[in-house]
Amino acid sequence: MLINKYISETGHFSRRETTRRIAAGRITINGRVCVKGDTVAPGDIVLMDGEEIPERNPEDVYIVLNKPVGITCTAAEQVEGNIIQFVNYPSRIFAVGRLDKASEGLILLTNNGDIVNKMMRSEHHHEKEYVVTVDKPVTDAFLQSMSQGVEILNVVTKPCEVYRQDENVFRIILTQGLNLQIRRMCKALGYRVLKLERIRIMNISLDERLKRGEWRHLEKQELGLLMSQLDLDQDQDEAGDE
């Protein structure tokens, strides 16, 4: 098993975080500093910072947080206002993706590192929906430009669904996640974002039951639908590899 997958399945670190720690020389296999692409076999001794990695938590944890503005989506303990300290869950969890410090709304947290990789793969086109308030009236031309794609970060964003909700408010459904994408798109068109709230990730939505700053566990039905979609993604990937 690849070292990244092995460690992610302990539930303590995502594959991306594991890659960072490998690059930093913090992981060893049988006393040898491992490198990207190394594999782990039964009986191998894997250490991080010279210590054994605890076994996977007995149960997977899936949390929905209604993130307030000012909370940073990082597990770094030195960052004031980091999301892990804010939630203060009794066992190790980490965020699935990011929601920038100035934004608010739905974000998922889990101890299942493997699900992070599945949800973040851009080729699966998982939907994320936002409500955005800007500094001037939303015009038809603005909506059309946003939906067709805007050049930011030397690329043109993928076509997306955009709807006017109020004079200065619109909804947007993205299937990609470029850094500060919505804010950069708006800026490129001469608008400034005043408020940005994520209200949905795939089949999981915020509702009035979850106040800002509160969190809850995913309900059984929500988790079932989510896993069904991720399993379908995996089946399609494997079919494409044949």
Side-chain angles (χ1 to χ4, degrees):
M1 183 184 295
L2 285 172
I3 183 66
N4 296 61
K5 180 173 175 62
Y6 173 84
I7 292 179
S8 74
E9 290 193 350
T10 68
H12 296 289
F13 305 97
S14 67
R15 294 191 194 185
R16 181 176 297 180
E17 178 62 23
T18 299
T19 298
R20 294 194 188 101
R21 292 174 184 241
I22 290 173
R26 298 174 61 183
I27 301 174
T28 61
I29 302 175
N30 299 327
R32 177 182 60 82
V33 175
C34 79
V35 297
K36 183 179 179 181
D38 274 355
T39 57
V40 180
D44 284 345
I45 300 174
V46 180
L47 304 179
M48 181 175 297
D49 298 330
E51 297 182 358
E52 286 189 82
I53 302 169
E55 293 184 1
R56 185 177 185 81
N57 294 325
E59 294 185 2
D60 288 338
V61 175
Y62 302 96
I63 286 173
V64 179
L65 168 67
N66 190 344
K67 184 187 95 67
V69 170
I71 299 302
T72 303
C73 293
T74 179
E77 295 180 358
Q78 69 272 22
V79 176
E80 185 177 353
N82 74 73
I83 195 169
I84 304 305
Q85 291 177 347
F86 180 79
V87 174
N88 195 29
Y89 196 73
S91 61
R92 185 185 293 272
I93 56 174
F94 41 84
V96 181
R98 295 182 61 84
L99 193 59
D100 70 80
K101 186 175 180 179
S103 299
E104 55 196 299
L106 175 63
I107 189 161
L108 303 179
L109 299 102
T110 183
N111 62 352
N112 183 349
D114 200 42
I115 197 177
V116 178
N117 184 57
K118 293 179 180 180
M119 292 186 69
M120 297 303 292
R121 293 183 65 174
S122 60
E123 62 266 31
H124 291 154
H125 309 294
H126 295 144
E127 291 186 348
K128 298 184 287 290
E129 185 171 358
Y130 303 80
V131 176
V132 186
T133 303
V134 289
D135 61 340
K136 55 187 177 182
V138 173
T139 65
D140 291 340
F142 171 81
L143 295 174
Q144 183 175 11
S145 295
M146 291 285 285
S147 66
Q148 291 177 344
V150 179
E151 184 174 353
I152 60 171
L153 301 172
N154 298 315
V155 298
V156 176
T157 59
K158 294 180 180 180
C160 60
E161 299 178 50
V162 189
Y163 310 94
R164 182 187 291 107
Q165 180 167 302
D166 207 338
E167 183 178 19
N168 288 44
V169 182
F170 66 93
R171 287 185 179 232
I172 183 168
I173 301 173
L174 299 181
T175 57
Q176 65 182 144
L178 300 177
N179 184 34
L180 300 175
Q181 180 171 342
I182 296 174
R183 295 181 186 276
R184 292 180 189 275
M185 291 172 73
C186 290
K187 183 178 180 180
L189 298 175
Y191 284 71
R192 182 167 63 89
V193 172
L194 302 180
K195 179 181 178 181
L196 194 156
E197 178 185 22
R198 183 157 63 196
I199 60 172
R200 179 171 65 87
I201 299 174
M202 297 175 67
N203 64 290
I204 303 163
S205 299
L206 282 183
D207 59 39
E208 60 186 15
R209 295 175 300 169
L210 197 64
K211 305 303 181 184
R212 192 78 72 224
E214 294 181 346
W215 60 267
R216 63 174 176 83
H217 291 280
L218 271 188
E219 297 175 354
K220 184 176 180 180
Q221 182 179 13
E222 291 175 310
L223 182 58
L225 287 172
L226 177 66
M227 290 304 186
S228 294
Q229 180 59 60
L230 296 177
D231 287 343
L232 178 61
D233 291 336
Q234 184 170 343
D235 290 344
Q236 291 172 343
D237 289 342
E238 292 174 352
D241 291 337
E242 294 177 355

